[in-house]
Amino acid sequence: MRKKVIAGNWKMYNAPSKAVSFVNQIKDKIDTDKSDVVLCVPYISLQPVMDALKGTRVSVGAQNMHYKDEGAVTGEISGAMLKEMGVPYVIIGHSERRAGFNETDTGVNLKTIKALSLGLKPIVCVGESLKQRKEGITNDLLRRQTTIALYGISNGDAEKIIIAYEPIWAIGTGMAATSADAEEACATIRETVAGIYDRETADAIRILYGGSVTADNAPELFAQPNVDGGLVGGASLKPDFERVVNFDGK
Ligand code: PGA
C-alpha cells in the first residue's frame, strides 16, 4: 500500500509573517497518519515554517533547486544548501519553471539526480499543454518526460521520487482534469516506470495529480488507483487545505 502524499505548492505567496500565521492556523488539524503532508514554500519562508511546524509531522519543501552545490550563479539556491537547512523535499521541473525559466527535461534530470544524491525527496512535475492534449500526444509526452527525468537513476533511487502529473491547462484555471483523465495519465506514468525498471519499482513510486485540486474534487481524484495524492496550489493557501488533506473525511 502506497502512503498518499499531499503537497501544497505555495508558489510566490506567503512571506514569513503570513506563512507562520497560516501554518499556526492549520497545523493541528492536519492528519499525517494516512498521508505524508508537505508544504512547499518560498525559500525565505522555509526556516520560519519549519520552526512553526516543530512537533508536528508536516514537512516542508522548496519549489526549485540548482544542481550544482555552489558557484557563481546569481540568485539561485542549491540542493546542498537545502540539505544543510534540513529541508526534506524539493519540487523539480514545475511547468511554471519550464515555461518561465527555460527548464528542460535534461535539466530536470540533472536536478533529480542531484537531489537524490543529497537525500532530498524530489517531487518531479510532468504534464501536457492543452495543445498537446488536443493533438492526442499526452501519453507520448508523459512517457518522454518521465523517461528523461529518470535517466541514469537506479531503481532503488527511483522509488524515492514522487512524480506529479500536472496538466498545464488545469493549473490555476479552476478546470481540473476529470478523475478518469488523471487516472489514465498517472497509469501511463506508472507503466513507463515499470518499463524502465520493473513492477516492484512501479508499484512503489508515488504519483500525484495536480491542477485545480480543491477540497471538493480531492476525494474522487485521490480515490483513483494510480493517483497517490496531490500537488495543490491555490487551495493550499487557504484554511480549506485542511479539508484537502483530510480528503476522505475520516
Ligand atoms: P493549482 O496549482 O492547484 O492552483 O492549480 C497546482 C500547481 O501548480 O502545482
Side-chain angles (χ1 to χ4, degrees):
M1 223 350 223
R2 293 181 293 268
K3 192 173 184 188
K4 292 260 192 288
V5 182
I6 317 289
N9 174 13
W10 283 3
K11 311 192 181 187
M12 200 170 67
Y13 293 98
N14 286 354
S17 59
K18 215 168 157 190
V20 168
S21 69
F22 178 72
V23 165
N24 285 335
Q25 207 183 326
I26 61 160
K27 66 178 179 186
D28 296 329
K29 300 180 194 146
I30 301 266
D31 178 358
T32 47
D33 285 341
K34 286 184 300 263
S35 314
D36 292 329
V37 182
V38 188
L39 293 173
C40 299
V41 311
Y43 289 128
I44 58 163
S45 297
L46 282 167
Q47 192 63 57
V49 168
M50 282 197 284
D51 293 344
L53 288 172
K54 277 215 177 87
T56 75
R57 285 189 290 155
V58 181
S59 294
V60 297
Q63 300 171 10
N64 178 39
M65 58 168 260
H66 199 281
Y67 68 91
K68 285 186 189 160
D69 288 343
E70 57 183 13
V73 198
T74 304
E76 286 288 298
I77 300 284
S78 70
M81 291 170 172
L82 297 173
K83 172 73 183 170
E84 186 186 314
M85 276 184 84
V87 174
Y89 291 85
V90 59
I91 297 175
I92 292 177
H94 189 281
S95 63
E96 285 155 14
R97 295 210 55 89
R98 291 178 187 254
F101 299 88
N102 302 321
E103 296 220 1
T104 61
D105 289 331
T106 355
V108 168
N109 175 243
L110 278 178
K111 290 182 182 194
T112 306
I113 291 172
K114 187 68 198 189
L116 289 166
S117 78
L118 291 164
L120 300 173
K121 299 183 184 94
I123 301 174
V124 177
C125 301
V126 296
E128 81 288 2
S129 66
L130 190 56
K131 183 166 176 279
Q132 289 162 332
R133 173 157 286 264
K134 284 187 174 153
E135 285 168 358
I137 59 169
T138 297
N139 287 341
D140 288 340
L141 181 90
L142 294 176
R143 283 186 206 104
R144 179 194 149 95
Q145 286 183 328
T146 305
T147 304
I148 300 176
L150 296 175
Y151 184 73
I153 294 172
S154 70
N155 46 355
D157 270 347
E159 282 186 10
K160 299 175 195 148
I161 300 173
I162 296 165
I163 299 180
Y165 165 61
E166 293 213 312
I168 297 167
W169 48 270
I171 295 176
T173 60
M175 210 173 67
T178 61
S179 50
D181 285 346
E183 167 61 16
E184 184 186 342
C186 291
T188 298
I189 294 167
R190 199 175 303 286
E191 285 322 301
T192 307
V193 174
I196 301 169
Y197 302 100
D198 47 39
R199 193 74 254 161
E200 202 190 331
T201 309
D203 285 343
I205 201 164
R206 292 180 293 176
I207 304 175
L208 315 184
Y209 167 77
S212 297
V213 171
T214 63
D216 292 334
N217 63 24
E220 189 182 326
L221 285 162
F222 300 170
Q224 303 309 306
N226 282 293
V227 180
D228 303 315
L231 182 57
V232 186
S236 72
L237 295 165
K238 302 185 200 121
D240 232 24
F241 184 56
E242 172 255 320
R243 282 180 55 221
V244 179
V245 175
N246 303 326
F247 61 94
D248 61 1
K250 284 179 210 130

